[in-house]
Amino acid sequence: MKKFRFPEDGDVAADIRERYGFDGDLLDIYAGNEGVKVHKWHHYLPLYDRYFSQYRGTPVKFLEIGVNNGGSLQMWRRYLGKDAVLCGIDINPDCAQYDGQSGMVRIGSQDDPDFLAEVVKEMGGVDVVLDDGSHRMPHIETSLRVLFPLLTEGGTYMIEDLHTSYYPRFGGGYDAPTNFFNTVRHMIDDMHNWYHSKKKLAVPELAKEFSGLHIHDSIVVIDKAAVQRPTHSRVQN
């Protein structure tokens, strides 16, 4: 497994500004983080802002899979604002110490459908899911198929660190059928089922409710919206 690390004594903010042309509140929040540790790939910051800025200052119900050191939830609280309903889940019981600091923390597996459903119920619904959990192929699949149908209409589902799709120790591999990007390919086929003969949906839990897929390095973002049969017209005035 290749490792790409930024020097500990480097200027994080400068690196992100120079390499990605990104500046703003989220950069300041991340680069100026104090207290509990937060760890993010630098190219994620502008993507977070692109997809999550619409929720700033709103009572968004934001679920993050993976708590780790608690720094990510702290970042989201500072970025999204005081009205956001934040919940982090983690299988590690040590993460319970972060409950109530920046949001709720609940201990359980992202591979447990009953646990996931109970968390969403406690939150009062969910508008955004950010999967930064185990990064294991079966866990990503379970969480997506359980949580996406529970997502609010117009909501956003982001999965990060998907470079693990190519790592056998995470259940992936370049040619592995379990590589998550194969699910993404099937979703693209499902989206275009109007135009081909394979009418059996490959991912039926999602097919009628996702309106867009966005693929970036190690990140997939899925838009939640009712799917409408395409139509077209010719107009001449």
Side-chain angles (χ1 to χ4, degrees):
M1 176 177 171
K2 297 179 180 178
K3 294 183 178 180
F4 305 88
R5 299 194 181 279
F6 187 74
E8 293 294 333
D9 59 349
D11 187 332
V12 170
D15 182 72
I16 296 171
R17 287 193 191 98
E18 292 169 9
R19 280 154 44 95
Y20 304 107
F22 177 69
D23 205 346
D25 292 345
L26 185 57
L27 175 60
D28 294 339
I29 291 167
Y30 176 71
N33 181 69
E34 297 179 346
V36 290
K37 184 184 297 184
V38 60
H39 173 213
K40 296 293 183 183
W41 289 83
H42 288 185
H43 69 281
Y44 289 5
L45 272 294
L47 296 175
Y48 289 154
D49 193 61
R50 179 188 301 187
Y51 293 106
F52 298 153
S53 62
Q54 62 181 308
Y55 300 109
R56 298 192 72 187
T58 75
V60 58
K61 298 177 177 67
F62 189 105
L63 173 62
E64 182 167 33
I65 302 172
V67 174
N68 198 8
N69 297 301
S72 189
L73 279 177
Q74 177 175 271
M75 182 182 77
W76 293 127
R77 173 59 69 197
R78 293 172 176 172
Y79 179 68
L80 293 170
K82 63 181 179 60
D83 294 328
V85 177
L86 300 183
C87 181
I89 64 172
D90 205 292
I91 198 169
N92 183 355
D94 291 344
C95 292
Q97 66 184 295
Y98 303 114
D99 182 35
Q101 291 187 9
S102 298
M104 300 161 40
V105 173
R106 298 294 179 261
I107 304 302
S109 174
Q110 72 173 108
D111 197 37
D112 182 344
D114 292 336
F115 168 70
L116 295 176
E118 187 61 33
V119 167
V120 172
K121 181 179 179 181
E122 184 179 2
M123 292 176 66
V126 62
D127 304 309
V128 177
V129 174
L130 174 58
D131 185 348
D132 184 20
S134 74
H135 312 310
R136 297 183 181 277
M137 300 303 104
H139 297 175
I140 292 169
E141 292 277 356
T142 297
S143 298
L144 177 62
R145 293 171 190 254
V146 171
L147 291 172
F148 192 83
L150 301 178
L151 200 64
T152 304
E153 180 88 2
T156 304
Y157 197 108
M158 179 183 287
I159 309 167
E160 64 180 54
D161 292 348
L162 282 172
H163 43 272
T164 60
S165 296
Y166 299 101
Y167 299 156
R169 72 185 183 93
F170 287 89
Y174 185 86
D175 294 319
T178 51
N179 182 317
F180 181 73
F181 286 108
N182 286 322
T183 295
V184 173
R185 295 179 186 103
H186 292 318
M187 290 172 65
I188 292 170
D189 290 337
D190 285 352
M191 177 183 284
H192 296 89
N193 76 92
W194 321 102
Y195 313 111
H196 58 74
S197 60
K198 304 295 184 182
K199 296 305 180 184
K200 184 177 180 180
L201 298 173
V203 193
E205 298 93 335
L206 281 66
K208 295 182 179 180
E209 297 186 296
F210 82 89
S211 59
L213 279 167
H214 313 269
I215 303 171
H216 306 272
D217 182 336
S218 302
I219 282 182
V220 166
V221 182
I222 310 169
D223 300 325
K224 175 74 175 278
V227 174
Q228 305 294 333
R229 177 180 286 274
T231 186
H232 65 95
S233 59
R234 294 181 176 87
V235 178
Q236 183 176 22
N237 294 314

